[in-house]
Amino acid sequence: MSPSAREIRYSFELFPPKTPEMEARLWDSVERLAALNPSFVSVTYGAGGSTRERTLGVVERLAGQTALEPAGHITCVGASRAEVDDVLARYWKAGVRRIVALRGDPPEGPGATYAPHPDGYAYACDLIAGARAIADFDISVGCYPEVHPDARDIKAEIENLKRKLDAGAARAITQFFFDPDVFCRFRDAAANAGVSRPIVPGIMLQSNFKGLARMAALCGARIPARIAALYDGLEADVATRDLITAQLVAELCNRLRDEGVDDFHFYTMNRANLSLATCRLLGVAKAHEAA
Ligand code: FAD
């Protein structure tokens, strides 16, 4: 079946706001993204659990006051099992049925030596087992097509992914990447290793190239020189950067569509315009908005 004949699904990732201005932007974005009828909308859990109450607040409001299906992120770094279980129980009580379960990064940042909390869940696979003992959550996990900084190689990366799926995760969402071949190679290697649950590409909608390059370096995502060159000299020109980003993301998604991918997770950075533009460029927004 040609890509245009296949249904496309997508979810959006948001982060909890720090200031009243960011809060206003978040809820404005939520309203605009809701028109696209996403599968779910996830809310990140700040580094080391630093946004626990703010994340809970956003997730609870999404669950209680919108028609959207929220997914609460949760990490186990720096927290006891009791603290993590308490957040999970609060999610469930608020009607939240989806979570994104992650280990989290050490306080010094990605790549620094990780030490589990003495009374905590050590890794994401342990957290998944804990969450499943609390309630019947639909669980997504992270995976890394360019290999997590702590993993030895792609084989170890896929073994870890299998551990998380075996522990009860329903799907994996990838770290962002820029080259469709990177995703396809990883998906195919995982399938060859016996992974049968969906691997959903995580697509970054960040047009601030400086910030993007910093994030990419930390998590080991390679930015092709062609892409870096497109943003060169546009540091002060947000509008043009946005146009380029929408075009590049649509190009990436369409290449993935050609490879049989129908499900996308967009890292929205709490801005609706790039998500709306991307969905339009993928030919889906109109149908959903009319529905
Ligand atoms: P894990 O799957 O636990 O694995 C990380 C590494 O630990 C593995 O590569 C392996 O080297 C090692 N390891 C795993 N299991 C074992 C084991 N049993 N024994 C020994 N070693 C093991 N971070 C946040 O703080 N908040 C968020 O909201 C957030 N959202 C994210 C969403 C997505 C889709 C993705 C891809 C990442 C997100 N992150 C978030 C970042 C994530 O927390 C970091 O990448 C973190 O370093 C790894 O988390 P993980 O769940 O993938 O780790």
Side-chain angles (χ1 to χ4, degrees):
M1 211 191 289
S2 74
S4 57
R6 302 194 314 260
E7 197 196 339
I8 181 167
R9 293 175 300 275
Y10 36 82
S11 48
F12 297 120
E13 185 170 306
L14 305 165
F15 63 86
K18 265 197 199 132
T19 62
E21 293 73 27
M22 287 167 82
E23 169 118 19
R25 189 175 89 193
L26 168 75
W27 293 107
D28 174 62
S29 297
V30 165
E31 206 171 296
R32 296 172 70 204
L33 293 173
L36 292 168
N37 196 18
S39 313
F40 63 90
V41 174
S42 81
V43 183
T44 60
Y45 202 72
S50 53
T51 65
R52 182 173 67 178
E53 290 307 316
R54 277 187 282 136
T55 297
L56 270 158
V58 174
V59 173
E60 284 168 352
R61 181 165 160 188
L62 285 168
Q65 296 179 28
T66 74
L68 291 164
E69 182 156 356
H73 289 221
I74 176 91
T75 64
C76 53
V77 61
S80 67
R81 282 175 189 239
E83 285 165 332
V84 171
D85 289 355
D86 177 57
V87 175
L88 291 168
R90 285 170 69 183
Y91 278 154
W92 190 261
K93 190 161 173 243
V96 178
R97 298 294 175 257
R98 287 178 183 265
I99 57 168
V100 183
L102 302 137
R103 186 197 74 179
D105 287 313
E108 301 77 22
T113 305
Y114 171 77
H117 186 285
D119 300 319
Y121 297 110
Y123 294 100
C125 57
D126 308 303
L127 169 60
I128 294 161
R132 288 192 63 79
I134 290 174
D136 189 18
F137 286 109
D138 172 287
I139 303 174
S140 300
V141 291
C143 67
Y144 305 85
E146 291 176 272
V147 181
H148 186 275
D150 294 355
R152 206 176 48 249
D153 53 23
I154 187 139
K155 192 163 168 273
E157 177 64 47
I158 291 173
E159 273 164 19
N160 187 44
L161 171 58
K162 283 175 83 175
R163 265 199 295 272
K164 295 192 277 192
L165 297 172
D166 288 345
R171 76 192 61 72
I173 300 172
T174 73
Q175 183 60 277
F176 65 88
F177 58 91
F178 300 94
D179 179 350
D181 294 339
V182 160
F183 174 85
C184 293
R185 272 198 300 273
F186 180 73
R187 176 194 61 177
D188 297 347
N192 286 337
V195 170
S196 57
R197 304 229 174 106
I199 298 181
V200 179
I203 307 290
M204 179 54 82
L205 296 174
Q206 165 67 288
S207 73
N208 172 352
F209 186 74
K210 245 177 138 179
L212 182 65
R214 211 173 28 244
M215 278 192 274
L218 283 174
C219 70
R222 199 183 61 79
I223 305 183
R226 175 183 82 94
I227 291 184
L230 284 173
Y231 289 98
D232 191 30
L234 293 177
E235 289 74 14
D237 187 350
V238 180
T240 307
R241 282 196 267 121
D242 278 356
L243 292 171
I244 290 173
T245 304
Q247 165 69 24
L248 284 174
V249 169
E251 199 181 282
L252 174 61
C253 293
N254 276 320
R255 282 279 308 279
L256 293 170
R257 294 280 281 155
D258 289 341
E259 295 293 336
V261 176
D262 295 326
D263 216 333
F264 298 90
H265 182 75
F266 291 113
Y267 298 111
T268 70
M269 310 309 289
N270 289 6
R271 293 176 66 212
N273 66 331
L274 283 171
S275 304
L276 289 164
T278 303
C279 289
R280 290 263 168 164
L281 288 165
L282 290 173
V284 294
K286 251 186 145 176
H288 280 289
E289 284 173 89

